[in-house]
Amino acid sequence: MSAYREYLETLRRAFPQPVSDQEHDAWFVFSVLRALDRVDGMKSQCPVLGDAREIDFSLATQSVVTEEMRTVESVSRELVDHLSGMFIWGHPRSQINVIPPPCIPGILGTLLPAIYNPNICSEEASRGVAFAEAEVISMTAALMGYDPARSGGVFTFGGTGTLLYAIRLGIEKAVPGTLQNGLAGEIPVVVCSGQGHYANKTAASWLGLGLRNVIAIPSAPDNQIRLCLLESELRRLLKEGRKIACIVATMGTTDAFGLDNLEQIRELRDQLVHEFSLDYVPHLHADAVIGWAWSVFRDYDFTLNPLQFPDRTLRALAGTNHRVRHLNLADSIGVDYHKTGFAPYISSAFFVRDAEDLRLITRDQSTTPYLFQSGHYNPGRFTLETSRSGSGPLSALGALRLMGKTGLRTLLGHLVTMAETLRNRLSAHPAISVMNPENFGPVTLFRVYPDDVDTFEFPRLEQNEAAFADRLHQYNEYNRSLFRLIQSEALQGDGVVISMTDRYRETEYGQPVVALKSYIMSPFSDQQYVQAVVESIDRARVKLKAEPMIHG
Ligand SMILES: *Cc1c(COP(=O)(O)O)cnc(C)c1O
């Protein structure tokens, strides 16, 4: 046998067999099992896999493609090793960010396409997996109050991608013909809240609008866009003759779970179209990548409360529902199943209320002669991507089917209950102030102060009066130091891993306010871990008092 044929024989064993071969199939499954077993060995009481040592990225430059082949077994070991140091998002001692632990059907939704590799660019290359995309789009559209017979949507590469679609559509609406001619003359603007995600800026700059054409409207203390300022800014722009490509309502801000008033924004938009006799309707997008999941409460009976949530939870869920139930008033919506839908990355979809809108960005058939020769479902005619993985839709389908409305209500209700418990404890603490008391999600922002600070009075003063700028900075630093202490303790297995935001908002005089952040996403979270956060803060405060040197 020639040398290459020998290698080929070995390589063939490293692929799933095209025709069922039970012995080999068992070996394939066993390889997966071995890898998972190895990961399991990296678990401890600590919310981290293996150990969390610093990674020396300069070592990466020494990596090269070797001459010789390796075995599946040895490569598997190396891949698993790369998980060392990862936070375990599903650990009850981890309250870090809006990163969910994926559920098992969500994981299968990624594993299966990884084996059979559907490309949902077209129906030909993905068949039933393309159908899964169509199903999830319909299911979610209906959940959010869109009419699935009229609406449309498509999976894309993240929440950022959903904003890119929204702004792209909005540009075409405000300045028809840009798909063909490009943009010339006055650049249209994007308007969003100051608490909007920076992905608004990413999308606007990548689309050639430029960062300075993203207009951020200040937010109120409850982290929603200030409507009166939105109105005056829109009027100013329209009076100047500027075109508005997109108004983005953030439905669940990243740090604070602030919810814009979509109902009134829609009313304002419609009124201005009429008043200024606009020949286009500025596109209204709901960036609901976090908030969409609360749509399961649209038809929850808050009076009977069949799931028997505690009163405080019920109030929090009703408060969120009060805003989220208006999602259907937006022209388009962004959804991240990989945030509040318990699917693994990347699982995000863009929705339009009116599928006809997608025609605005559809390519001419003549540009893609080698594609779409058969089938009815060809989103590749308008998607930004060419190849698209089936894992987004299949994972979302897995998660949605597993949970149904009851499961998602249960899980979100539990996370909110835990967050409410934490808020209660933090608010009762004389040295702590909760910074987003009016936001009812799973995230709690809080600031901790040294003993001598009056936490009833001071948070308001530092927020509003420039005379307190020095002390604001001093306490920003104090919270940073506390964060380092809490973090290092948590990595040793006591306490809880939380996170910190460098600027959850700005003061009235334009300075960043640092806050500690607890984002509860684990189904395994429970009372004792909430208590552990408070205890860890107390220990860190005592340490800081003893060694004020850490303070700098
Ligand atoms: C996370 C987030 C985004 C960006 O989404 P990705 O999926 O990370 O690309 C956009 N908007 C908001 C409000 C977010 O929280």
Side-chain angles (χ1 to χ4, degrees):
M1 198 153 41
S2 58
Y4 105 83
R5 292 288 317 190
E6 267 178 52
Y7 287 127
L8 186 62
E9 281 312 309
T10 315
L11 275 180
R12 281 179 171 169
R13 285 184 45 76
F15 284 79
Q17 299 305 290
V19 174
S20 178
D21 165 346
Q22 290 203 329
E23 204 178 319
H24 190 277
D25 291 351
W27 179 77
F28 172 33
V29 172
F30 189 66
S31 313
V32 177
L33 215 71
R34 285 279 289 260
L36 293 182
D37 239 14
R38 230 179 125 75
V39 182
D40 225 46
M42 295 158 89
K43 290 179 180 169
S44 66
Q45 279 309 301
C46 182
V48 173
L49 288 174
D51 55 334
R53 68 187 123 77
E54 282 287 318
I55 296 178
D56 180 359
F57 280 88
S58 69
L59 294 177
T61 57
Q62 294 165 23
S63 262
V64 289
V65 177
T66 53
E67 200 60 43
E68 68 280 4
M69 302 185 348
R70 298 236 312 254
T71 63
V72 170
E73 164 67 12
S74 108
V75 176
S76 159
R77 249 180 286 137
E78 179 175 336
L79 296 184
V80 169
D81 287 345
H82 280 73
L83 293 179
S84 181
M86 277 277 306
F87 288 122
I88 302 169
W89 313 117
H91 199 292
R93 290 186 183 279
S94 109
Q95 302 179 4
I96 306 167
N97 218 326
V98 57
I99 303 183
C103 61
I104 293 171
I107 296 168
L108 289 173
T110 297
L111 180 65
L112 295 172
I115 303 171
Y116 290 98
N117 223 17
N119 184 343
I120 55 172
C121 173
S122 71
E123 187 186 329
E124 286 169 291
S126 54
R127 300 289 165 183
V129 181
F131 185 71
E133 174 171 52
E135 277 184 294
V136 175
I137 293 290
S138 278
M139 290 158 73
T140 313
L143 198 65
M144 299 188 297
Y146 273 178
D147 171 8
R150 197 180 139 208
S151 62
V154 72
F155 273 73
T156 186
F157 62 86
T160 306
T162 65
L163 281 161
L164 202 71
Y165 271 96
I167 297 173
R168 185 65 194 87
L169 278 182
I171 292 173
E172 197 60 27
K173 287 183 177 181
V175 189
T178 57
L179 206 62
Q180 192 62 35
N181 307 318
L183 265 175
E186 186 94 72
I187 305 287
V189 299
V190 173
V191 183
C192 62
S193 133
Q195 298 278 315
H197 197 271
Y198 70 80
N200 284 291
K201 292 185 177 162
T202 309
S205 62
W206 280 66
L207 286 168
L209 299 182
L211 292 179
R212 68 187 180 87
N213 292 305
V214 179
I215 297 174
I217 308 294
S219 57
D222 64 356
N223 301 298
Q224 68 167 307
I225 194 165
R226 282 188 198 266
L227 280 167
C228 53
L229 296 182
L230 174 66
E231 174 165 0
S232 54
E233 185 60 21
L234 290 175
R235 282 181 185 283
R236 186 186 70 77
L237 289 162
L238 292 171
K239 273 189 198 131
E240 282 180 10
R242 299 294 301 268
K243 298 258 189 177
I244 294 159
C246 195
I247 303 168
V248 179
T250 309
M251 305 306 284
T253 62
T254 315
D255 269 347
F257 201 70
L259 296 157
D260 287 348
N261 190 331
L262 190 53
E263 192 184 20
Q264 290 200 13
I265 295 174
R266 166 72 190 259
E267 221 168 84
L268 172 64
R269 194 268 318 254
D270 290 350
Q271 188 195 325
L272 292 175
V273 168
H274 178 73
E275 211 178 301
F276 285 79
S277 308
L278 299 180
D279 58 1
Y280 70 102
V281 179
H283 190 81
L284 174 56
H285 177 72
D287 182 1
V289 298
I290 292 182
W292 70 275
W294 273 258
S295 298
V296 293
F297 293 103
R298 269 174 82 84
D299 54 0
Y300 184 68
D301 188 333
F302 284 96
T303 317
L304 285 181
N305 187 20
L307 293 178
Q308 302 171 323
F309 292 122
D311 290 344
R312 280 181 66 102
T313 304
L314 204 59
R315 202 182 118 68
L317 296 174
T320 303
N321 180 50
H322 186 63
R323 285 283 156 90
V324 171
R325 74 195 160 98
H326 294 300
L327 274 181
N328 59 343
L329 296 176
D331 299 321
S332 62
I333 308 174
V335 165
D336 275 355
Y337 301 94
H338 66 217
K339 276 184 177 155
T340 42
F342 302 89
Y345 293 123
I346 293 287
S347 186
S348 299
F350 173 70
F351 294 80
V352 280
R353 193 182 51 234
D354 199 338
E356 283 296 305
D357 273 3
L358 295 171
R359 276 183 197 274
L360 294 171
I361 52 167
T362 298
R363 277 177 287 274
D364 198 328
Q365 167 84 61
S366 66
T367 59
T368 54
Y370 46 89
L371 285 175
F372 319 129
Q373 297 306 338
S374 71
H376 305 285
Y377 182 78
N378 294 309
R381 290 216 174 103
F382 61 82
T383 55
L384 169 63
E385 303 97 326
T386 304
S387 296
R388 281 186 311 134
S389 163
S391 70
L394 221 51
S395 297
L397 185 64
L400 291 175
R401 287 286 187 232
L402 171 76
M403 291 188 281
K405 287 187 192 175
T406 301
L408 208 43
R409 284 170 187 156
T410 296
L411 202 39
L412 296 175
H414 178 64
L415 303 182
V416 167
T417 304
M418 291 300 108
E420 286 291 334
T421 310
L422 176 65
R423 277 155 186 244
N424 251 352
R425 302 266 162 83
L426 295 175
S427 313
H429 197 294
I432 299 175
S433 178
V434 172
M435 308 312 278
N436 65 336
E438 292 166 77
N439 302 125
F440 300 117
V443 58
T444 306
L445 298 170
F446 56 98
R447 266 163 86 76
V448 186
Y449 298 89
D451 281 345
D452 48 343
V453 178
D454 173 0
T455 51
F456 285 94
E457 210 35 45
F458 191 75
R460 200 179 49 76
L461 294 175
E462 68 178 353
Q463 174 64 31
N464 296 314
E465 297 183 28
F468 292 94
D470 283 348
R471 286 179 70 193
L472 170 91
H473 292 304
Q474 186 190 335
Y475 300 145
N476 277 352
E477 225 22 76
Y478 181 76
N479 279 273
R480 285 200 183 92
S481 306
L482 278 180
F483 172 70
R484 284 191 287 270
L485 289 169
I486 295 168
Q487 183 83 350
S488 80
E489 189 183 72
L491 292 181
Q492 282 152 26
D494 307 317
V496 173
V497 185
I498 56 171
S499 60
M500 189 188 76
T501 171
D502 258 329
R503 190 178 63 194
Y504 92 90
R505 65 181 292 125
E506 284 185 353
T507 61
E508 297 300 313
Y509 48 95
Q511 293 301 304
V513 186
V514 171
L516 301 181
K517 174 166 154 183
S518 150
Y519 215 124
I520 302 184
M521 289 297 288
S522 168
F524 301 95
S525 54
D526 234 320
Q527 306 285 347
Q528 70 265 36
Y529 306 106
V530 167
Q531 184 57 32
V533 175
V534 184
E535 287 163 5
S536 178
I537 295 168
D538 278 332
R539 284 194 294 271
R541 287 182 82 245
V542 170
K543 266 195 203 153
L544 261 193
K545 226 169 19 184
E547 322 166 48
M549 287 307 293
I550 312 173
H551 199 122

